[in-house]
Amino acid sequence: MAAAAVTADGRARVLVDGNAIPLLGLGVWQVGEGRECEDAVRWALEAGYRHIDTAQAYGNERSVGRAVRDSGVPREEVFITTKFYPRRKDAEAEARRSLERLGVEHVDLYIIHWPRGGPTRAWDGMQRARERGYARSIGVSNFSVGELDELLAVADTPPVVNQVQFSPFEYRRALLQGCEQRGVAIEAYSPLGRGRHLGDDRVREIADRLGRTPAQVLVRWCLERDLVVLPKSTHRERIEQNAQVFHFTLSDDDMAALDALDTTGGTDRARERKWW
Ligand code: A2P
């Protein structure tokens, strides 16, 4: 398996289409539109994040756009992802609406939120969104290896990322390997198990021994695997803490201990059940 193309500073990965994506991003799922979301994005940018991951379905694109604009960080330095809400008909039309809400000319990455209606259903619109310049890169989310293969069989422009729930407890080894073999980068959402994994004794033991927090260990585990990782928080000190992950490493033994927490059997599936 070819090693992922991580940039010299270790902070970004070069996607198959040539675009670079910062490895650490702030996820804003379930972060309320308005003050809560604007604060979280502003704090993240102040803490050095240069990647914000939102979605049409999150209902907070306006706040993300406003916070980026108000931050003073140049737009071209911030990687913005949004996602096509697959209950809607056409991804190109929805991309245009997302851009209006975000108040930007393009997003850096536009992905299908989940494969509703089948893995190929929305791709034509995704490709048109890219051709029109609405999105620099296009990808998918919650796709298994089988679903990716169905899409790759018909795509003119292949997806360059697959955003899935990923952590030591959901170490989807066959999915990761299958994605890497197909030139698709994995983005890890809910890397803290939505907070559930932070209390695990084995994670805590490693964190205590290294003088880090459980969240830092879980985020670092993703970086050690060259994954793009999207921890979510609405608290300033946690947002800052989750970004302090580039100045320590995990030993092979600690990585092996974390790998062993997997509860998916190393699956090539992206999710344990359908929610649509
Ligand atoms: P909050 O947003 O109130 O800070 P995930 O990224 O896996 O979805 O996990 C997000 C959950 O973990 C949220 O409930 C978030 O709470 C919590 N969380 C995020 N970062 C930390 C941290 N450093 N310490 C403790 N809890 C955290």
Side-chain angles (χ1 to χ4, degrees), residues 64-272:
V64 168
R66 196 171 302 125
V68 170
R69 269 192 308 285
D70 291 352
S71 71
V73 180
R75 164 69 187 96
E76 61 275 16
E77 289 180 20
V78 186
F79 190 100
I80 300 177
T81 298
T82 197
K83 311 186 188 81
F84 168 59
Y85 181 51
R87 287 182 191 280
R88 295 281 155 74
K89 194 157 165 247
D90 180 52
E92 180 196 338
E94 297 303 325
R96 206 167 45 236
R97 295 190 181 107
S98 281
L99 295 183
E100 279 167 21
R101 285 187 293 267
L102 283 159
V104 296
E105 305 270 300
H106 69 272
V107 287
D108 298 278
L109 175 63
Y110 190 46
I111 63 192
I112 302 179
H113 211 148
W114 59 84
R116 186 174 192 269
T120 61
R121 204 272 300 172
W123 199 247
D124 181 54
M126 298 294 291
Q127 293 181 142
R128 279 185 273 110
R130 182 178 161 278
E131 280 155 22
R132 292 198 147 239
Y134 299 160
R136 293 245 162 101
S137 294
I138 51 176
V140 298
S141 181
N142 297 301
F143 275 47
S144 66
V145 170
E147 286 161 338
L148 268 181
D149 279 340
E150 277 187 59
L151 175 54
L152 288 167
V154 300
D156 295 320
T157 302
V160 293
V161 310
N162 186 15
Q163 185 179 125
V164 298
Q165 211 253 308
F166 215 95
S167 83
F169 298 82
E170 292 89 11
Y171 182 17
R172 307 173 191 279
R173 212 181 272 250
L175 180 62
L176 175 58
Q177 193 168 13
C179 284
E180 291 293 352
Q181 282 165 348
R182 289 160 180 76
V184 175
I186 291 247
E187 293 188 287
Y189 74 71
S190 300
L192 316 176
R194 294 190 227 139
R196 279 191 326 277
H197 301 335
L198 296 171
D200 185 273
D201 287 343
R202 294 152 299 184
V203 177
R204 269 179 189 283
E205 185 279 314
I206 294 171
D208 289 347
R209 183 161 36 77
L210 299 179
R212 308 286 165 185
T213 67
Q216 289 170 328
V217 167
L218 292 171
V219 172
R220 183 68 216 178
W221 180 87
C222 289
L223 296 178
E224 299 277 350
R225 295 257 162 267
D226 296 332
L227 305 178
V228 176
V229 58
L230 305 167
K232 170 263 174 186
S233 178
T234 52
H235 291 88
R236 184 173 204 156
E237 68 286 356
R238 293 177 177 174
I239 290 169
E240 289 169 356
Q241 179 195 119
N242 297 348
Q244 265 134 56
V245 288
F246 291 100
H247 301 296
F248 74 103
T249 56
L250 295 169
S251 68
D252 290 348
D253 283 352
D254 286 340
M255 285 300 287
L258 291 164
D259 290 353
L261 299 175
D262 174 49
T263 58
T264 72
T267 185
D268 67 356
R269 293 156 63 116
R271 39 178 210 274
E272 280 55 58

